[in-house]
Amino acid sequence: AAPAARAFADPLAGGGEGPVMVELPARRFRAGSVSALWRNDTRPPFQVELTRALAVARTEITVGEFRQFVLRSGWAIERGCWHHDDDQVWRFDPARAWDSPGFPIDDAHPVTCVSW
């Protein structure tokens, strides 16, 4: 069995702790999709190599957690969000954003309409 991943949370400069992170060890793996459904959105399977450990959040970041990040950091978040309606056509809407994605949300929902 693989050893348990190391979990940690960093202290935030504005107080409190950041999200619980899990360390992924350096390793090789296959990424991508073999599904025809996602053919236009993802790459076919390909080899990935993490040359050093990488930390990722254990769970999705919530709207509330992201709100605290924005308030404490002063980070300027760009507005605008890609979305699709029932017709499945992707459109960019400059009025949508993480705090108003075009559907009802509360602080417990996973944050959406954020970029890298």
Side-chain angles (χ1 to χ4, degrees):
R6 184 175 78 90
F8 61 93
D10 290 326
L12 299 176
E17 289 188 336
V20 174
M21 306 293 282
V22 176
E23 183 179 35
L24 302 178
R27 66 184 183 101
R28 288 184 177 171
F29 62 94
R30 290 188 54 79
S33 175
V34 295
S35 169
L37 176 65
W38 298 105
R39 192 168 295 159
N40 293 332
D41 293 341
T42 61
R43 293 173 53 186
F46 60 99
Q47 190 75 22
V48 174
E49 182 176 3
L50 296 178
T51 57
R52 58 185 176 151
L54 172 70
V56 296
R58 179 183 279 171
T59 61
E60 299 88 353
I61 301 300
T62 66
V63 171
E65 289 169 328
F66 195 75
R67 183 183 319 284
Q68 288 303 310
F69 162 73
V70 171
L71 292 172
R72 290 181 178 173
S73 70
W75 196 269
I77 307 298
E78 293 180 23
R79 300 207 58 86
C81 184
W82 285 92
H83 71 97
H84 65 78
D85 296 315
D86 293 336
D87 62 4
Q88 302 296 306
V89 175
W90 286 95
R91 295 176 182 84
F92 184 78
D93 184 343
R96 294 183 187 213
W98 68 272
D99 57 350
S100 56
F103 50 86
I105 58 169
D106 64 35
D107 280 357
H109 283 99
V111 71
T112 186
C113 287
V114 293
S115 70
W116 289 90

